Amino acid sequence: MHIDWAGLGEVALVSLLFGVGLAVLFAVGVTAMGRRAVALDEKRPPAMLDTAVASLCFAACLAAVLYGLYLIIPQFH
Amino acid sequence: MDLSFLVVVVIITALVFDFTNGFHDTANAMATSIATGALRPKVAVGLSAVLNLVGAFISTEVAHTISSGLVDDAKITVPIIFGGLVGAILWNLLTWYLGLPSSSSHALFGGLIGATWIAAGSGAVNFGTVVQKIIVPAVAAPIVAGVVALLGTYLAYKITARARKRSVDDGFRAGQIASASLVSLAHGTGDAQKTMGIITLVLITSGTLAQGSRPPLWVIFAAGMAIAFGTYLGGWRIIRTMGKGLTEIESPQGFAAETSSTAVLLASSHLGFPLSTTQVCSGSILGAGLGKRLAEVRWTVAGRMALAWLFTLPAAAVVGALSGRVANSGNLGVALIAVLALLAGGGLYAASRRKPVTSANVNEYPSTPAASSATASV
């Protein structure tokens, strides 16, 4: 009987990297979006930094979704 | 095309299994989105059904073995497959009635192992492979997914602590839709394909198709429709347990849980260490519950789920063994098992109607005094 502990460890590490990383990125993006929304509500121009951070975070999440689609759809391989 | 009575019955049984596979697993992808209101219940199951159907059509990889080496595939006969399917279907229906998520693949493997064991002796079962491909992943899956979801949830709350709550909730809800969709699509490519593989192998064994044939279009279509229809009906009892029963899920937790599930499932299937979708998703939800400070996790529910996982393989194996044995005696035996299985399935359905869980009350846990006594009596 052979148990592929290295394979399991690899799965755990990659999952941790992507799973936690995406949650963090999305949370940062949502926070920046929230600050923009508050600024707009108060009729202030939103900070450039917030817009940039939100766009970057969501773009990275979108890229991750596309990568997920690439992995799922066998025709891409 | 000359199909024997047995082959026709097995194909129908395989499609019924596919159907139960669909409604048993809707919860994996959609329970947290339904619980947080990211998607309305009917929209969620509809989206999941469509993605499962699409997944069924784009999956091209054909399974060449039914049991992935758990049993000696040369010893598998059509009655054994029939017995294995009956064991898996009845286990799926029983756990659905009890509102417990459990792995449809493990149920199928359990049924096949039992049926093969009785028909060809214990030597035909590769116990080492069972430990390696079922027991170890079953323990690892919820732990890995749980830790990822726990950290993700904890950090998501930490980061958004001072942000405006409405923006946070709306943002995470939108994100949930994407991750839930990915889980549904991945499910369709994996699980519908299993049924196609079984039907194709039965057709090859019976000489209807040539060795090494790919699934005919009608098989792909039938399997895709069966899993999609099952998904659309929605196993509301299981959705309620996963979305509301284990823990109260808020949208950041739902997002962290689904992101964890997606990451673990894709990593495991592409790094060659397959993990059960059901166990990954349940572990993620548990982790998301633990990751929020002071969130309540109902350990009795988690314990019942763990018990169900423990019993999946042996329970399906016993039913599979008995059904396979009787089916092996000829057409009369096959008909007898089919009728008994229909009666058992019908009985569970009738019992479920007494305290139905539908799209309307799926988010009420415990819903009514009647429903809470039902869960207490499990």
Side-chain angles (χ1 to χ4, degrees):
Chain A
M1 180 172 64
H2 164 74
I3 293 170
D4 185 7
W5 294 112
L8 179 58
E10 200 183 356
V11 169
L13 268 179
V14 173
S15 307
L16 207 61
L17 189 73
F18 276 85
V20 178
L22 280 170
V24 166
L25 270 176
F26 201 83
V28 172
V30 162
T31 310
M33 274 300 267
R35 275 200 299 269
R36 281 190 87 243
V38 170
L40 289 172
D41 276 1
E42 293 167 356
K43 306 264 188 294
R44 287 186 285 120
M48 276 288 261
L49 182 68
D50 288 338
T51 311
V53 167
S55 323
L56 270 177
C57 287
F58 291 135
C61 291
L62 184 67
V65 169
L66 294 178
Y67 181 57
L69 279 176
Y70 165 79
L71 286 178
I72 295 171
I73 300 173
Q75 279 78 358
F76 289 154
H77 298 224
Chain B
M1 202 155 51
D2 181 29
L3 293 176
S4 72
F5 172 69
L6 178 63
V7 170
V8 173
V9 171
V10 173
I11 290 174
I12 294 170
T13 314
L15 291 174
V16 172
F17 167 74
D18 202 24
F19 170 76
T20 64
N21 193 163
F23 74 72
H24 219 276
D25 291 1
T26 317
N28 291 333
M30 290 299 172
T32 57
S33 302
I34 292 172
T36 62
L39 289 165
R40 276 183 293 125
K42 281 286 187 188
V43 176
V45 293
L47 175 64
S48 187
V50 169
L51 290 169
N52 266 283
L53 188 63
V54 172
F57 276 95
I58 59 174
S59 70
T60 50
E61 193 192 334
V62 192
H64 294 291
T65 65
I66 286 182
S67 76
S68 321
L70 295 172
V71 297
D72 183 352
D73 275 288
K75 299 236 166 68
I76 291 187
T77 60
V78 179
I80 289 180
I81 297 176
F82 177 65
L85 285 167
V86 169
I89 291 171
L90 290 183
W91 179 254
N92 269 354
L93 286 175
L94 177 68
T95 44
W96 160 76
Y97 172 67
L98 299 174
L100 293 172
S102 84
S103 163
S104 299
S105 342
H106 287 190
L108 180 60
F109 291 147
L112 283 173
I113 289 170
T116 311
W117 191 335
I118 291 299
S122 61
V125 181
N126 302 326
F127 291 99
T129 317
V130 173
V131 173
Q132 177 199 337
K133 287 198 172 162
I134 295 195
I135 315 270
V136 172
V139 176
I143 297 177
V144 172
V147 169
V148 174
L150 190 157
L151 283 173
T153 303
Y154 176 78
L155 291 170
Y157 274 105
K158 197 97 186 156
I159 292 167
T160 58
R162 269 182 281 163
R164 186 163 65 170
K165 190 159 183 340
R166 186 157 51 87
S167 307
V168 171
D169 284 345
D170 290 350
F172 279 116
R173 273 198 204 106
Q176 273 190 286
I177 299 173
S179 44
S181 300
L182 282 181
V183 174
S184 294
L185 188 65
H187 186 262
T189 56
D191 279 27
Q193 196 271 331
K194 249 181 292 179
T195 305
M196 291 175 210
I198 290 177
I199 297 179
T200 309
L201 284 174
V202 166
L203 289 172
I204 290 173
T205 314
S206 67
T208 312
L209 285 176
Q211 280 291 337
S213 296
R214 299 179 42 75
L217 190 63
W218 68 267
V219 172
I220 299 176
F221 187 76
M225 286 306 280
I227 204 165
F229 185 53
T231 306
Y232 182 70
L233 275 191
W236 300 110
R237 306 175 90 80
I238 304 174
I239 293 176
R240 172 145 81 184
T241 303
M242 286 179 85
K244 290 282 167 182
L246 265 180
T247 182
E248 282 297 322
I249 293 269
E250 293 179 352
S251 66
Q253 291 168 293
F255 179 82
E258 280 165 14
T259 308
S260 161
S261 300
T262 316
V264 175
L265 286 173
L266 291 183
S268 75
S269 61
H270 289 272
L271 295 174
F273 197 96
L275 298 173
S276 148
T277 311
T278 302
Q279 283 150 6
V280 167
C281 294
S282 313
S284 292
I285 293 173
L286 206 60
L290 291 170
K292 188 190 169 209
R293 222 163 59 89
L294 303 179
E296 185 199 2
V297 172
R298 295 189 189 90
W299 289 106
T300 46
V301 178
R304 277 207 300 268
M305 275 168 40
L307 265 183
W309 296 351
L310 203 62
F311 279 106
T312 301
L313 213 63
V318 169
V319 178
L322 292 173
S323 323
R325 181 73 192 78
V326 177
N328 207 22
S329 66
N331 283 348
L332 195 64
V334 173
L336 179 70
I337 291 297
V339 169
L340 284 177
L342 276 176
L343 284 176
L348 284 169
Y349 177 74
S352 79
R353 297 315 296 166
R354 285 186 299 147
K355 289 147 193 156
V357 180
T358 63
S359 60
N361 67 355
V362 65
N363 278 341
E364 297 158 21
Y365 183 94
S367 64
T368 57
S372 65
S373 72
T375 44
S377 68
V378 168

